Amino acid sequence: MNKKKPVTPFGWAIKRRLTELQMDQKTFCEQHGIPPYRLSNLIHGTRKATRFRNQVADLLQIPDELR
């Protein structure tokens, strides 16, 4: 049984933008000092993580309507 959480619209925006930048999640996290588990939380919506949410959205230039 697959227990993975579905990807949120914000999560898809993160994945799409990282693909455009040709960067994987691990590299992005290392470059910007974001714990990888927090990025995963944001992608799957398992925690709000407001501080990191705003930081990731700003760094990836994600529009406000997707935040």
Side-chain angles (χ1 to χ4, degrees):
M1 186 156 120
N2 188 356
K3 293 186 180 214
K4 281 191 140 192
K5 297 276 185 183
V7 177
T8 65
F10 182 62
W12 283 118
I14 292 170
K15 287 178 169 281
R16 187 176 313 111
R17 189 67 178 118
L18 287 174
T19 301
E20 290 170 2
L21 296 171
Q22 297 180 350
M23 184 181 297
D24 63 13
Q25 293 177 22
K26 182 178 178 182
T27 303
F28 175 76
C29 289
E30 288 171 353
Q31 285 183 359
H32 299 289
I34 298 169
Y37 63 89
R38 282 290 179 244
L39 186 62
S40 179
N41 290 153
L42 293 174
I43 290 170
H44 297 287
T46 53
R47 282 191 78 165
K48 197 167 184 171
T50 306
R51 176 179 146 218
F52 291 110
R53 183 181 194 89
N54 292 333
Q55 182 181 1
V56 168
D58 290 342
L59 289 167
L60 295 177
Q61 301 172 343
I62 294 174
D64 287 340
E65 61 269 10
L66 294 175
R67 291 182 186 205

